Amino acid sequence: MTFDLTGKRIWVAGHRGMVGGAVVRRLAQEDCEILTATRAELDLVEQSAVRAWMQEMRPDAIVMAAGKVGGIKANNENPVDFLYQNMMIVSNIAQAAHEADVERFLFLGSSCIYPKMAPQPIPENSLLTGPLEPTNEWYAIAKIAGIKLMQAYRQQYGRDWISAMPTNLYGPGDNYDLNSSHVLPALLRKFHEAKAAGASSVELWGSGTPLREFMHCDDLADALVFLLKDYSAPEHVNVGSGVEVTIRELAETIARVVGYEANLVFDATKPDGTPRKLMDSARLQAMGWNNSRSLEDGIAHAYQDFLTNQV
Ligand code: GFB
């Protein structure tokens, strides 16, 4: 299957976010028209607004990078925001897209859709085989509903709509707010500020032992365009890098990139979350896509963006 992007109108929902921004940058290399809408122009939680916008703009394809996202603390403390907003956004966009006859829809989920104790690396068919990680089950349920919506429209109406499940992401345009961010941008900021202040230690949440797989958002965007062109099936597809480290190792890598050694202090009152979530990306690789960027190179790139845009 090849969905030729030439001349197509492609709506990147959530283009101001890290992933949406990366998808816009990647699509700029294709001969297509990119559609965007700011939050002021279109509130994705409002069904009638989404329907009207879709009828007017008539995209040929949608990449859905919009949503309420955040790190372990934000997820844990704001269950309604993560469940309600994400369910509304995917439901509104999917139904409006159906009514406007949108040919292709690429929905993005997250590795947290899988059971807390899923086999590692996690294959796609682990979905709904066990209980979720409590710190992010609200977000996970909304993302599972999104996968099911893509499958339901395919089954009932023959829509060629698909889902991709990215691993933990980082890169330009990330959220560096220490309360709501993911671990990688949080540690970039913490090491940067420790260096500036000459601090002797940097505080990490949890035990430092959980394992996480990280992928640069530009690598993800490349995989997404690959799937948009070439993938057509009900099953969601894992998109991972295979690069897995403990949180302690991540901190040590970030210390090298920032150029500052500090003692690591662990705050055991903060949650560890899932002990490990390494994606099995064998299906994507068998289709012919591979990710090449190393973690240290990727973090160096993200740090440059931090220095340019956040300091
Ligand atoms: O990236 P993160 O917030 O989310 O945390 P998850 C990953 C690990 O890093 C946890 C530890 O074990 C944290 O305790 N950590 C250490 C820190 N220091 C820090 C810090 O300063 N800030 C943060 N944020 N973490 C999220 C889910 O889970 O992953 C979302 O909550 C989503 O729903 C996302 O799936 C990809 O990897 O645990």
Side-chain angles (χ1 to χ4, degrees), residues 5 19 22-23 26-27 30 63 104 106 108 162-167 169 215-231 237-241 281 284-285 287-293:
L5 299 185
V19 172
V23 173
R26 177 59 187 82
L27 282 176
E30 306 285 327
V63 179
R104 293 280 281 162
L106 172 50
L108 297 191
I162 58 175
S163 299
M165 296 304 118
T167 192
L169 303 166
M215 184 180 223
H216 192 285
C217 60
D218 287 342
D219 292 337
L220 169 74
D222 192 62
L224 295 180
V225 171
F226 174 85
L227 290 170
L228 187 61
K229 288 179 180 174
D230 283 324
Y231 183 71
V237 180
N238 286 347
V239 183
S241 61
S281 303
L284 177 64
Q285 285 160 8
M287 289 175 220
W289 189 86
N290 261 298
N291 160 62
S292 56
R293 192 176 321 221

Side-chain angles (χ1 to χ4, degrees), residues 126-200:
S126 296
L127 185 64
L128 295 173
T129 55
L132 298 164
E133 154 61 31
T135 54
N136 57 33
E137 65 178 331
W138 320 98
Y139 182 69
I141 290 285
K143 289 299 180 185
I144 293 169
I147 297 173
K148 291 295 166 191
L149 272 174
M150 296 301 108
Q151 294 173 348
Y153 281 96
R154 176 180 287 273
Q155 184 176 314
Q156 190 171 340
Y157 297 114
R159 294 278 170 217
D160 193 1
W161 294 358
I162 58 175
S163 299
M165 296 304 118
T167 192
N168 285 34
L169 303 166
Y170 68 94
D174 211 342
N175 169 17
Y176 291 93
D177 174 81
L178 293 181
N179 261 320
S180 58
S181 68
H182 292 102
V183 62
L184 196 153
L187 295 188
L188 267 179
R189 174 178 286 279
K190 286 181 179 180
F191 274 92
H192 177 79
E193 291 181 352
K195 183 180 183 180
S200 60

Side-chain angles (χ1 to χ4, degrees), residues 70-72 75 110 112 136 139 168 181-183 186-187 190 204-206 210 212 247 271-273 277:
I72 193 165
N75 269 265
S110 159
C112 69
N136 57 33
Y139 182 69
N168 285 34
S181 68
H182 292 102
V183 62
L187 295 188
K190 286 181 179 180
L204 272 71
W205 297 351
R212 291 291 183 274
I247 298 303
D272 268 344
K277 48 177 173 178

Side-chain angles (χ1 to χ4, degrees), residues 7-303:
K8 294 282 167 37
R9 291 163 62 79
I10 303 179
W11 178 27
V12 181
H15 72 288
R16 289 250 172 105
M18 176 180 74
V19 172
V23 173
V24 167
R25 286 195 295 280
R26 177 59 187 82
L27 282 176
Q29 298 168 26
E30 306 285 327
D31 193 9
C32 62
E33 186 182 348
I34 301 168
L35 308 179
T36 59
T38 63
R39 192 168 299 185
E41 290 162 344
L42 175 60
D43 183 352
L44 298 174
V45 173
E46 293 298 328
Q47 188 175 38
S48 55
V50 175
R51 182 177 279 139
W53 192 88
M54 197 84 76
Q55 288 295 328
E56 188 193 336
M57 301 306 285
R58 294 266 161 189
D60 299 298
I62 298 171
V63 179
M64 209 202 101
K68 173 78 178 169
V69 297
I72 193 165
K73 184 168 186 280
N75 269 265
N76 207 18
E77 293 177 356
N78 305 283
V80 175
D81 296 352
F82 281 83
L83 182 57
Y84 171 75
Q85 289 185 29
N86 286 309
M87 289 212 311
M88 290 301 283
I89 290 170
V90 66
S91 302
N92 290 344
I93 297 182
Q95 180 59 21
H98 172 59
E99 290 166 7
D101 222 8
V102 174
E103 195 179 339
R104 293 280 281 162
F105 192 137
L106 172 50
F107 172 72
L108 297 191
S110 159
S111 56
C112 69
I113 60 163
Y114 293 113
K116 176 170 183 157
M117 293 306 173
Q120 307 282 331
I122 313 171
E124 283 90 349
N125 63 11
S126 296
L127 185 64
L128 295 173
T129 55
L132 298 164
E133 154 61 31
T135 54
N136 57 33
E137 65 178 331
W138 320 98
Y139 182 69
I141 290 285
K143 289 299 180 185
I144 293 169
I147 297 173
K148 291 295 166 191
L149 272 174
M150 296 301 108
Q151 294 173 348
Y153 281 96
R154 176 180 287 273
Q155 184 176 314
Q156 190 171 340
Y157 297 114
R159 294 278 170 217
D160 193 1
W161 294 358
I162 58 175
S163 299
M165 296 304 118
T167 192
N168 285 34
L169 303 166
Y170 68 94
D174 211 342
N175 169 17
Y176 291 93
D177 174 81
L178 293 181
N179 261 320
S180 58
S181 68
H182 292 102
V183 62
L184 196 153
L187 295 188
L188 267 179
R189 174 178 286 279
K190 286 181 179 180
F191 274 92
H192 177 79
E193 291 181 352
K195 183 180 183 180
S200 60
S201 64
V202 164
E203 188 188 276
L204 272 71
W205 297 351
S207 65
T209 58
L211 286 152
R212 291 291 183 274
E213 179 188 26
F214 293 99
M215 184 180 223
H216 192 285
C217 60
D218 287 342
D219 292 337
L220 169 74
D222 192 62
L224 295 180
V225 171
F226 174 85
L227 290 170
L228 187 61
K229 288 179 180 174
D230 283 324
Y231 183 71
S232 174
E235 294 79 25
H236 60 282
V237 180
N238 286 347
V239 183
S241 61
V243 178
E244 188 189 37
V245 289
T246 65
I247 298 303
R248 177 188 282 276
E249 288 164 344
L250 175 70
E252 290 163 357
T253 308
I254 289 177
R256 278 197 300 278
V257 169
V258 173
Y260 193 68
E261 292 297 328
N263 293 322
L264 303 180
V265 176
F266 293 93
D267 177 357
T269 66
K270 299 285 196 311
D272 268 344
T274 308
R276 188 180 182 196
K277 48 177 173 178
L278 174 65
M279 300 275 231
D280 181 347
S281 303
R283 283 181 65 223
L284 177 64
Q285 285 160 8
M287 289 175 220
W289 189 86
N290 261 298
N291 160 62
S292 56
R293 192 176 321 221
S294 78
L295 183 60
E296 198 146 342
D297 284 354
I299 292 175
H301 184 247
Y303 187 45

